Amino acid sequence: MNIDQLRSELLERISTTDQPREVLKAEEIKQLYAVIPTLDPSERGPHGKAVNELKLALESAVAEREAALEDDAIMPLDVTAPWDVNTRAPHLLPTEQGTQHPLTRELENVIDIFTRMGFEAIESRQIDDDEHMFGSLNFPENHPARDGYDTFRTEEGFIPPAHTSTMQNRILKDGKAKLEAGGQIAAVSYGRVFRNEDVDATHEHTFYQCEGVFVSRDATLGNMLGTLRSFFEVYYGQKLKIKTQPAYFPFVEPGLEFAIEKPAALGGKPGEWLEMLGCGMIHPNVLKSAGIDPTVYRGFAWGGGIERLVMLKYGIEDLRHFESAKLQFLRKFA
Ligand code: PHE
């Protein structure tokens, strides 16, 4: 093998190994030195020069490769890292990979429970229109009930939804054929919602909701209460006392607020009720706006915040922790 061939082979080896310095000890290099005494004196000069050049090229390739390996070992570039990536990482994260955010994990848990109960899960939209936010949900134009869902609006008139109920009309329309084939609609939609709120320990402008929609020929309010009770008992892993009280939402009739008694195991006292969500029998106008005949089919719907569920489960006292990116908080869920 001539020196040029050898050079490209060794450079290739250096660029692919984690131990580049070892390549300098290659047998082929030793051979280049070993042959010197056997060469004709006139060849020794040029040979020696070529060997030297080879050595210098290999050494600089080794140094470059070592520097690159060291950079990789420090860490890949992470623009979200809460420290200067050029200094060695303090041991801030719970694991090298990080972990799921507690809200993501709990939302998956919630969806899992409903999926096992036979509900299909659909992510809600983060930008929607007036018809889905209000019109199809039986909010008349200029009705004061719209004020309860004060959210934001883009210049083009699009709306970051104030609740996951914006998905109801789509779920109903998509499920109509199933109903007419003798089946039922059973879906939950989940996702981020937005409200024009002053932020404090119990209010955020951005939060998560999960909504359920069920329609069949004979759905009853009792079916809804049973469904919700089962969900909460599975989620909190214990028997619960529940109660409802009348509430007004334009898209249900009757409308209810659903409360559970705060379990003793989670620091509750008897008679301490927590309102968990809004619910009710789907208003005939909402069924009609999806082309479903309310004289034949009936349904129920509910919707509530995810943060509230999680705060109760883990005794979190301030909603703002969730979006704070505080590692001290997040590490508790690692
Ligand atoms: N969308 C309502 C809210 O966010 C909750 C709700 C959903 C009430 C479905 C009734 C039925 O306040």
Side-chain angles (χ1 to χ4, degrees):
M1 183 186 292
N2 71 32
I3 290 190
D4 283 339
Q5 263 177 324
L6 182 60
R7 176 200 306 256
S8 51
E9 198 193 301
L10 294 178
L11 286 175
E12 168 73 21
R13 255 191 253 170
I14 289 169
S15 69
T16 51
T17 174
D18 285 350
Q19 301 283 330
R21 202 153 284 280
E22 290 299 304
V23 178
L24 298 178
K25 299 181 194 153
E27 199 50 42
E28 296 96 319
I29 300 177
K30 288 185 191 150
Q31 282 301 321
L32 291 175
Y33 287 102
V35 296
I36 293 175
T38 70
L39 292 175
D40 187 89
S42 67
E43 286 173 19
R44 286 187 198 165
H47 178 81
K49 197 166 165 241
V51 175
N52 258 340
E53 274 170 12
L54 171 67
K55 234 187 137 203
L56 288 176
L58 295 180
E59 269 166 9
S60 88
V62 166
E64 238 175 76
R65 175 77 181 143
E66 281 177 342
L69 287 170
E70 195 175 334
D71 279 353
D72 285 352
I74 290 175
M75 70 179 54
L77 177 62
D78 178 358
V79 293
T80 66
W83 66 87
D84 177 358
V85 291
N86 295 314
T87 62
R88 284 231 171 223
H91 293 288
L92 287 176
L93 292 177
T95 73
E96 279 178 33
Q97 256 64 53
T99 56
Q100 259 188 326
H101 190 279
L103 282 179
T104 308
R105 199 179 68 190
E106 293 301 316
L107 185 58
E108 287 184 0
N109 191 2
V110 167
I111 292 166
D112 228 53
I113 297 171
F114 283 121
T115 307
R116 290 200 299 268
M117 290 166 85
F119 289 84
E120 183 190 354
I122 300 156
E123 188 170 2
S124 69
R125 296 199 180 191
Q126 294 187 31
I127 197 83
D128 218 317
D129 54 28
D130 198 87
E131 177 59 14
H132 287 92
M133 180 64 218
F134 295 116
S136 67
L137 289 169
N138 194 38
F139 285 85
E141 284 285 342
N142 300 319
H143 192 278
R146 291 185 176 223
D147 294 348
Y149 298 89
D150 184 15
T151 177
F152 308 94
R153 230 171 240 267
T154 69
E155 281 166 8
E156 298 81 9
F158 291 114
I159 304 178
H163 55 179
T164 41
S165 303
T166 46
M167 297 301 289
Q168 281 197 17
N169 186 255
R170 296 187 179 93
I171 291 171
L172 294 173
K173 276 188 182 146
D174 288 351
K176 191 179 170 214
K178 243 198 216 169
L179 272 186
E180 287 167 354
Q184 56 202 22
I185 299 174
V188 287
S189 74
Y190 60 91
R192 246 185 220 162
V193 294
F194 310 88
R195 291 198 191 176
N196 184 8
E197 294 271 12
D198 286 334
V199 174
D200 64 24
T202 53
H203 297 89
E204 262 283 9
H205 50 72
T206 302
F207 57 102
Y208 290 82
Q209 279 194 336
C210 181
E211 176 109 4
V213 175
F214 183 89
V215 185
S216 69
R217 281 178 175 262
D218 52 9
T220 67
L221 196 73
N223 296 151
M224 178 182 79
L225 296 179
T227 304
L228 292 174
R229 174 198 284 280
S230 303
F231 165 75
F232 282 101
E233 291 189 345
V234 173
Y235 184 75
Y236 290 115
Q238 60 188 286
K239 289 267 164 220
L240 293 169
K241 282 194 184 161
I242 63 169
K243 77 172 180 185
T244 58
Q245 60 188 34
Y248 174 69
F249 303 97
F251 34 97
V252 286
E253 179 60 36
L256 304 170
E257 266 164 16
F258 180 95
I260 62 171
E261 195 181 41
K262 187 171 175 182
L266 298 173
K269 293 177 215 69
E272 191 180 349
W273 294 93
L274 297 172
E275 189 220 313
M276 300 309 286
L277 49 79
C279 56
M281 298 305 287
I282 298 176
H283 195 287
N285 288 347
V286 173
L287 292 173
K288 267 191 231 160
S289 70
I292 293 174
D293 182 350
T295 64
V296 180
Y297 300 102
R298 305 189 266 176
F300 54 81
W302 72 86
I306 296 296
E307 282 84 349
R308 187 180 306 199
L309 281 180
V310 181
M311 287 169 82
L312 173 60
K313 190 171 185 179
Y314 295 104
I316 299 165
E317 80 296 348
D318 192 324
L319 182 59
R320 289 167 293 194
H321 289 318
F322 286 120
E323 302 288 348
S324 70
K326 275 187 204 142
L327 291 171
Q328 209 185 359
F329 172 75
L330 296 174
R331 231 193 256 118
K332 297 204 163 108
F333 301 88

